[in-house]
Amino acid sequence: MSFLRRYLKFEMKIFIGYILIGCLWILFSDKVVSILFSDAEEITRIQTYKGWIYVMTTGILFYFILRHHIRKLRTAEQMAKESDRLKTLFLQNISHEIRTPMNGIMGFTELLKNETLTEAEKNEFLKIISDSSTLLLNIVNEVLDISMIESGTNKVKISEVSLNNLMDEILNYFTHSVGNDVCIKVEYGLSSGNDVIKADETKIRQILHNLISNAIKFVENGHIRFGYKAKENTLEFFVEDTGIGISKESQKHIFERFFKDRPQNTKIYDGVGLGLAISKGLVELLEGKIWLESEPGKGSIFAFAIPYQKVDDKHEDSISYSGEKARTRQSTFNYLTILLVEDDLPNIKYITEILSRQGIKVITAVNGQQAVDLCHDHQEIELVLMDLKMPVMDGYLSAKEIRELRRDIYIVAQTAYVFNEREKTTVAGFNDFLAKPFNVEQLFAVINRFLERQHQ
Ligand code: ADP
C-alpha cells in the first residue's frame, strides 16, 4: 500500500479513484437500492436518478480532494519563491561582504609593487593584506557554519566537559586580545570537581567565543565579565560588557543574519553580522535559548541557557582538552622527511617554504599516484601531507594504497573541503586533519602530534 502511495502520482490516483468508484457504482448500485427500498415503483423512480447521484457525489468528492491538493501546491510554490528570494539576498550579502576585504587585498598588493615605498609603508600595507585575509577566512567559516546549521549537518556531540577548565582556556585565549584599558574576568558557577557536566564542548566554546569577540570589539575601556551559573535544570552562560550598548530598536533584530548595529559617529568595526545568528542557531541545536539585556552607552549582557546534564561518576581524567600549543622543536625536525601531495602551485611553494626553513626535507607529488610511487621508492618518508581532491588519483585512494605499502606511515589530510570531511578522513584511515588555509602554528601542531606519537 505504501508502495502505491509513494509511486502513484496524484493525477493517476484521481483517475484510478474515478474509475473504481464508477465501476463499483455500476456493479452494486442496484443491490444497494433494492436493500434500502422494497417498493418496486419506488425502486424504478430512484433508478432514474442513479446517474445524477453518481455525478453529484463524485463531483463534490473530487472538488474537495482537488482543492486540498492545489492549496498544498500553492503554499509550496510560495515557500519556494520565498526561499529563492532569501537565497539571492544571502548571496548578495555574502558577495558584498567578500568584496570588501578582497578590495583591500587586491588594492594593497598592487600598491606594494611600487618600488619607492619605505619599509614602514610596506609593513603597513602587508598588515592590511594579512588582516583582510583573516577577515575573508572568517567570512567563509561563518557562511559554512550557517549553512551547516540550516542543513542540519551540524550535529550535537556530547562528552564530559570540565566547565571551569573550559572557562580558563577561553580566558587565556582572550587575555591578550583585549586593550590595555579593558579588564576581562571570569566567573565560575560550580566548584572545581563539581564542574564536570555532559555537553557539547565545541559548541559552547564557539558561542562564547562569538559573544566575547563582540564584547572586545565594542568596549574601549571598562570590563568584560563572562562565566556561567548553575541553576536547577539549566546552565546559564553570560558575557557582560561595559561597551557601547545596543538600542531597543536594534535589539529586536540583533540575532538576524547580516544585522549590524552601527550608531552614527562610532568608529569602524569589522564583522559580517553572522556571529549572533550562528550563536542563536547553535544554542537552539543545544535545545536552549539566547537573549540579551542592553542599554546604549552603558553596555550589554548576552546570555544563553542550556539543559544541565550532570555527570554521575566523575572521571576527571577522561576529560579531553583540545587546546593546541605549537612547539617548534628545531632539533627534532632536522632528520624529518615529509611528502607533500598537492596540485596547487602557490600551496606547494607556501608549505615547502615553511617546512624547509625548519630544516625539514620536503618531497613533492602532484597527484595521488605519484605519491604512492614516491612512498614506495623513498622509505625515509615518515609523514605525508595529502591533499584530497587531485587529478589522476584522489587523496582517499592514494592514502589507502600508501597504507597498504607502509603500515606505520603518518598520513595527514589537508583540504579546503571542510564540510563533513574531517569525519570522512578519520574513517578512511588518515591520522590527522588540516583545514586549508592553515597557518604556521597549525601546521607545526600537526607535526608535533606526529612526533609525540613517535616518542610514545
Ligand atoms: P558581527 O560582529 O560579525 O558584525 P554579530 O552577529 O556578532 O556580527 O553581531 C551583530 C551586530 O550586533 C554587531 O554588528 C553589533 O552592531 C551588534 N553587537 C553584537 N554584540 C555587541 C556588543 N557586545 N555590544 C554592542 N553591540 C553589539
Side-chain angles (χ1 to χ4, degrees), residues 142 210-211 214-215 217-218 241 243-246 254 256 259-262 270-277 300 302:
E142 288 194 334
N210 282 349
L211 300 179
N214 276 347
K217 252 192 279 180
F218 298 105
D241 67 65
I244 60 170
I246 302 158
I254 204 89
E256 289 171 13
F259 180 80
K260 295 183 216 171
D261 181 28
R262 299 282 182 265
D270 60 11
V272 190
L274 283 178
L276 288 177
S300 317
F302 280 85

Side-chain angles (χ1 to χ4, degrees), residues 184-201:
I184 181 161
K185 290 184 269 191
V186 61
E187 248 179 57
Y188 311 99
L190 292 165
S191 58
S192 66
N194 290 318
D195 64 318
V196 183
I197 60 152
K198 281 188 176 165
D200 188 323
E201 183 177 354

